[in-house]
Amino acid sequence: MHFTYEPLPTRVVFGAGSREQLAAETERLGIRRALVLSTPGQAERAEELAAQLGDRAAGTFSGAAMHTPVSVTEDALKRLQELGADGLVAFGGGSTTGLSKALALRTDLPQLILPTTYAGSEMTPILGETQEGRKTTQNTPKVLPETVIYDVELTLTLPPAVSASSGMNAIAHAAEALYAQDGNPVVSLMAEDAIRALAGALPVIVKEPQNLEARTQALYGAWLAGSVLGSVGMALHHKLAHVLGGTFNLPHAELHAALLPHNIAYNAPHAPEAMHRIARALDAENAALGLYEMNKKLGNVPALRDLGMPEDGIAQAAAQALEKPYPNPAPLEQDALLELLRRAWSGQTPSSQTPEEQR
């Protein structure tokens, strides 16, 4: 057995009520004037965090947006410079974390993240930015947050529908980690446990949003999923999600949920061990169908067309996915990709054919 595993150095503070450690953690990072980031919908909570920080808060910026538009980052950078901030505190989901990372890339300031969803990007050195309808990603330690505070109480107000799609987004990270080109046994253990924790918790959360035990398990699973996302490379599923999200501005988590079963089906013949582990974690006989059925159980939108993707965008998306492909277990073939996208666009069940059989 030969493998390489390099844990990332992010400090994790996990537990109900752990947001009370915010001031101590900013002090630990040497932050004297933090810029508190959020989306417009979380502006009030951002102000509350700034008040909690007291003299350690420089101010707030509540313009974070989906897919991290460069124009928003430029506005936030002006605000940061005007206030003389020397650190970043991000409150929210992947949009806010993305903005924090984009600012860290440009300033090298320390970041402290308080996640309120299951996005997982807070555990990665990956940044995706959108400009002129194209989403590009890069991997650099400059954008890896220094500290993440996982307070399960911050997820109790996350609506059931958002919890469901965000949770499937996290499962996507773990599923692709199981067949990553640079995978290893440690990552595989974490990935399978992430899927198991999320698959068990999400159906409970949809019915009982205030269930603290289920919320804790889901956040634990999201942390594991984010950790493996930051440790190994992703494959076709994430490439397509980046293409579709950046080109058509589709909602990030819902897009991941709708796409995932079809990408897993595409790769299934070429990654049997990964499929076995995914199915085992889901307590299902088939990995792709198990994910498709989980989407139905959770009430996630199954069809890309219902998320706003135009039918005439299918060919464009397939072409872009082939331009700079990510390493993937199954060969990337145009006809097979078109079939995958047609099924995802219409919300059909995942194909049971291999890419070779679809030719």
Side-chain angles (χ1 to χ4, degrees):
M1 182 183 296
H2 300 275
F3 66 88
T4 300
Y5 175 57
E6 186 174 354
L8 297 173
T10 298
R11 173 178 169 87
V12 172
V13 181
F14 191 104
S18 54
R19 65 187 180 282
E20 298 301 327
Q21 299 181 48
L22 175 61
E25 290 298 323
T26 54
E27 182 178 1
R28 183 179 173 276
L29 291 174
I31 299 174
R32 295 170 182 262
R33 290 180 57 78
L35 178 63
V36 181
L37 307 170
S38 77
T39 59
Q42 298 277 23
E44 186 176 340
R45 298 297 299 275
E47 293 291 347
E48 291 173 2
L49 282 183
Q52 181 180 333
L53 284 170
D55 292 342
R56 287 189 178 273
T60 64
F61 178 86
S62 296
M66 188 170 61
H67 304 304
T68 317
V70 170
S71 59
V72 173
T73 301
E74 291 172 346
D75 290 342
L77 185 59
K78 291 177 185 175
R79 174 74 169 159
L80 185 152
Q81 293 168 341
E82 290 169 358
L83 294 171
D86 64 356
L88 302 162
V89 171
F91 177 87
S95 297
T96 308
T97 300
L99 174 59
S100 181
K101 288 179 168 184
L103 291 171
L105 178 69
R106 291 159 173 81
T107 64
D108 209 23
L109 292 180
Q111 305 174 74
L112 193 156
I113 314 294
L114 292 95
T116 61
T117 72
Y118 308 131
S121 59
E122 66 277 354
M123 291 302 300
T124 79
I126 303 166
L127 170 64
E129 297 183 280
T130 303
Q131 188 171 30
E132 297 178 354
R134 286 271 183 151
K135 188 168 187 177
T136 57
T137 62
Q138 58 181 301
N139 189 319
T140 168
K142 284 187 70 174
V143 306
L144 180 70
E146 279 73 13
T147 300
V148 180
I149 295 178
Y150 284 103
D151 186 342
V152 66
E153 293 175 358
L154 296 178
T155 67
L156 291 174
T157 57
L158 192 65
V162 181
S163 300
S165 59
S166 181
M168 286 298 288
N169 182 13
I171 287 175
H173 307 329
E176 288 225 298
L178 285 167
Y179 52 68
Q181 187 181 55
D182 53 351
N184 60 69
V186 177
V187 162
S188 292
L189 285 170
M190 295 170 71
E192 185 174 350
D193 204 35
I195 297 172
R196 183 180 296 109
L198 286 157
L202 293 174
V204 178
I205 290 170
V206 168
K207 294 179 180 178
E208 305 172 33
Q210 298 297 306
N211 189 308
L212 192 63
E213 182 178 352
R215 288 287 189 182
T216 300
Q217 283 301 303
L219 195 58
Y220 164 74
W223 164 63
L224 289 175
S227 297
V228 301
L229 173 65
S231 298
V232 297
M234 296 288 105
L236 174 62
H237 172 79
H238 281 74
K239 175 65 176 184
L240 282 175
H242 293 153
V243 166
L244 294 172
T247 304
F248 304 111
N249 199 35
L250 305 184
H252 182 79
E254 292 88 339
L255 166 60
H256 273 277
L259 265 181
L260 183 59
H262 302 280
N263 283 300
I264 294 301
Y266 188 100
N267 280 317
H270 296 266
E273 176 59 25
M275 299 304 136
H276 171 70
R277 297 185 79 147
I278 294 168
R280 181 168 63 189
L282 294 170
D283 194 20
E285 293 185 7
N286 177 283
L289 291 178
L291 291 166
Y292 185 79
E293 291 300 318
M294 173 159 284
N295 269 333
K296 289 170 61 176
K297 182 189 296 186
L298 298 177
N300 286 327
V301 175
L304 296 179
R305 65 183 176 194
D306 295 329
L307 297 177
M309 180 184 173
E311 187 173 10
D312 61 9
I314 290 174
Q316 179 184 355
Q320 286 188 36
L322 290 168
E323 282 179 8
K324 295 180 180 179
Y326 294 180
N328 193 67
L332 301 185
E333 300 173 358
Q334 186 175 29
D335 289 346
L337 284 175
L338 288 170
E339 176 64 15
L340 182 164
L341 286 166
R342 288 191 196 102
R343 285 180 172 272
W345 182 84
S346 61
Q348 297 178 58
T349 56
S351 174
S352 59
Q353 291 183 308
T354 66
E356 293 84 353
E357 290 171 336
Q358 292 172 16
R359 284 185 294 179

